[in-house]
Amino acid sequence: MKIYSYKDLTKQEVEEICLRQLEDDVNIQERVKSIVERVKMEGDKALFDYALSFDQIRLEELFIDQQEIMTIAATIPAEAKAAIDTAYQNIKTFHASQLLQEDKVETMPGVTCWRETRAIERVGLYIPGGTAVLPSTFLMLGIPAVLAGCKEIVVCSPPQKDGKTNCYLAYVATLLGIERIYLVGGAQAVAAMAYGTASVPKVDKVFGPGNRYVTQAKQLIQGNTMIAIDMPAGPSEVLVLADETAIPSYIASDLLAQAEHGIDSQTILVATSSKIIDETMEQLALQLQVLPRAAFATKAIENSYAVLVNDLEEGMKFSNVYAPEHLILATDNCERLIPLISNAGSVFLGNLTPESAGDYASGTNHTLPTSGYARAYSGVSMDSFMKKITFQHITPQGLRHIGNTVEVLAAAEGLDAHKNAVSIRLKSLD
């Protein structure tokens, strides 16, 4: 892990080290384009072929139905079932609180405007299943989709070695009332949900994190179809801002929690003293020795870095430029920093709030903007699964009040038909 001193960096150098390095993007773009185009043209045949070539599984069907889901779900260990139940309830409670009804507003006498929400009718949820299978992601996407009232929820996840899904995803499916899981992964899953195949229904919006292939596929279908995506979510990342009140062993555990996702994950430590950085490095070495996914984590740590800053305020300046997916404020002084945060996907306050709590069970959503997109995107929420439709109603009194304003503005723009649509109604009121 390389160490920088913030005071020695120019503004341009800060921006450069905040860039996520994706050297093979062009190559990935071409490969993803080929996959997406083949799925578009060949449908199920392409999906069967990709399952064999990418997952080394010869599938007989591209999905498992409700009966099989229930059978697999019944094999879940009791402890895991209880943990998922707790996470489910917390996530549901938090997201249900976001279902707010807006008031009607009378902008002038007789002119009433308001907004109402409507669920997106058909949504596709991509649940990764490569180096790690993520029932937590199923909860994070499925719960708000169900609460929003989406009529059709299509779930895609790569097949396991037995050509099925695992008991954790199956159990989540039973909680959510999902009757079918499609055994499709990667860019081909995104393409299948975007274009539809004989087996996989077409959707209106695709959700879900994934590797660079999944991210590229989502961006490609957004540009070439009328399908929306949640956000361009790529490799995981965390930035830990620490001062002398932080605990190095905790910091190291948080950095490794992100690093074990994959070799392209990025973990950044911003600290107010060299002592914190040095002690965290020692803890990283110790904790890596016992991690089953040490190979992934080690590579990710090697590609990450630490930044030495004068104080927490300076650290926040760097963090806002980096715009992290996850921001951990490892300090007893976190409350005063909250107003300084302008760019972050999700924030974890204090030494007893690990990022993994948000990943699994605190209640907030873990599908978050990465690669600096936190400057403009929010994480997944209830709003992600709904549309806001505006309404207006004008009474005779209201038309008399607003009519002349509309006529004058329409005339100024040279749009006489617009003006007449008001004038003809005003004359009928005389």
Side-chain angles (χ1 to χ4, degrees):
M1 181 181 278
K2 189 171 183 179
I3 301 175
Y4 297 95
S5 175
Y6 186 80
K7 66 181 178 61
D8 296 331
L9 296 172
T10 66
K11 180 180 178 181
Q12 182 177 348
E13 287 171 334
V14 168
E15 292 176 351
E16 286 176 356
I17 67 172
C18 286
L19 292 174
R20 283 44 160 194
Q21 300 302 315
L22 303 174
E23 296 87 352
D24 56 352
D25 263 6
V26 175
N27 182 40
I28 288 178
Q29 286 173 8
E30 291 304 313
R31 294 174 69 182
V32 168
K33 185 177 180 181
S34 174
I35 292 170
V36 170
E37 190 62 26
R38 186 179 174 196
V39 172
K40 178 183 177 183
M41 299 301 295
E42 299 180 16
D44 282 358
K45 182 183 183 303
L47 299 181
F48 280 116
D49 289 348
Y50 284 133
L52 185 59
S53 59
F54 292 156
D55 304 308
Q56 288 78 54
I57 301 292
R58 188 180 298 276
L59 295 175
E60 295 182 5
E61 286 188 298
L62 288 169
F63 60 86
I64 56 174
D65 60 19
Q66 187 177 27
Q67 186 58 50
E68 195 162 13
I69 288 172
M70 292 176 67
T71 300
I72 297 171
T75 67
I76 189 172
E79 188 176 31
K81 179 178 181 293
I84 288 177
D85 286 344
T86 298
Y88 172 84
Q89 196 56 55
N90 287 352
I91 297 164
K92 183 177 180 180
T93 299
F94 180 74
H95 285 76
S97 71
Q98 300 167 16
L99 286 167
L100 303 176
Q101 184 173 349
E102 299 180 21
D103 294 331
K104 293 183 178 181
V105 177
E106 191 173 52
T107 57
M108 64 191 316
V111 179
T112 306
C113 302
W114 71 97
R115 295 200 309 174
E116 294 186 11
T117 58
R118 298 290 185 273
I120 298 173
E121 293 188 355
R122 303 173 301 174
V123 296
L125 314 183
Y126 179 67
I127 314 302
T131 59
V133 179
L134 305 176
S136 57
T137 295
F138 200 173
L139 290 169
M140 296 292 178
L141 299 178
I143 289 171
V146 171
L147 287 174
C150 299
K151 292 180 180 179
E152 187 169 13
I153 302 172
V154 178
V155 179
C156 286
S157 189
Q160 302 301 290
K161 294 303 180 184
D162 61 357
K164 307 295 182 181
T165 193
N166 64 49
C167 62
Y168 307 109
L169 294 188
Y171 181 64
V172 172
T174 64
L175 287 177
L176 297 171
I178 302 298
E179 298 180 355
R180 186 172 285 188
I181 296 176
Y182 295 90
L183 303 170
V184 188
Q188 60 270 30
V190 175
M193 291 187 284
Y195 292 105
T197 72
S199 296
V200 184
K202 180 180 179 180
V203 302
D204 300 311
K205 189 172 183 178
V206 174
F207 294 79
N211 59 20
R212 295 181 191 178
Y213 290 87
V214 171
T215 300
Q216 288 289 347
K218 287 168 67 178
Q219 292 175 312
L220 182 63
I221 62 107
Q222 185 182 39
N224 295 342
T225 69
M226 291 189 292
I227 307 302
I229 65 171
D230 49 356
M231 70 191 80
S236 296
E237 58 193 36
V238 66
L239 186 149
V240 180
L241 176 57
D243 66 4
E244 67 281 354
T245 66
I247 301 170
S249 62
Y250 292 4
I251 298 172
S253 70
D254 288 325
L255 296 175
L256 290 172
Q258 285 305 299
E260 72 174 351
H261 274 297
I263 62 173
D264 53 2
S265 297
Q266 194 164 49
T267 59
I268 310 300
L269 171 59
V270 180
T272 57
S273 78
S274 297
K275 183 174 182 288
I276 297 169
I277 296 174
D278 292 341
E279 291 180 357
T280 300
M281 296 289 194
E282 293 173 4
Q283 283 295 320
L284 284 171
L286 288 172
Q287 294 181 32
L288 268 170
Q289 294 176 17
V290 297
L291 283 183
R293 295 170 65 85
F296 293 109
T298 299
K299 190 68 176 176
I301 292 294
E302 288 174 356
N303 294 330
S304 301
Y305 58 86
V307 179
L308 177 64
V309 294
N310 287 322
D311 50 43
L312 291 172
E313 287 74 16
E314 192 171 75
M316 276 310 313
K317 289 180 181 178
F318 179 86
S319 177
N320 284 327
V321 175
Y322 185 82
E325 176 189 19
H326 305 103
L327 170 61
I328 298 176
L329 299 183
T331 170
D332 292 340
N333 304 304
C334 55
E335 292 293 333
R336 66 182 176 86
L337 295 177
I338 293 176
L340 303 181
I341 301 169
S342 56
N343 299 321
S346 191
V347 183
F348 303 81
L349 303 172
N351 291 307
L352 295 180
T353 312
E355 183 275 327
S356 51
D359 267 353
Y360 291 106
S362 65
T364 61
N365 207 289
H366 79 196
T367 306
L368 302 165
T370 67
S371 304
Y373 284 105
R375 298 184 189 97
Y377 283 82
S378 304
V380 165
S381 67
M382 287 296 298
D383 287 345
S384 307
F385 292 88
M386 298 185 293
K387 304 161 292 184
K388 304 284 187 179
I389 302 174
T390 58
F391 293 80
Q392 48 265 299
H393 177 256
I394 301 176
T395 65
Q397 178 194 29
L399 189 62
R400 290 189 178 97
H401 278 117
I402 201 172
N404 181 251
T405 296
V406 177
E407 287 177 317
V408 171
L409 290 173
E413 294 186 355
L415 299 176
D416 289 348
H418 281 65
K419 176 183 178 183
N420 186 57
V422 172
S423 300
I424 197 171
R425 287 173 168 81
L426 285 173
K427 288 179 183 177
S428 70
L429 295 178
D430 293 340

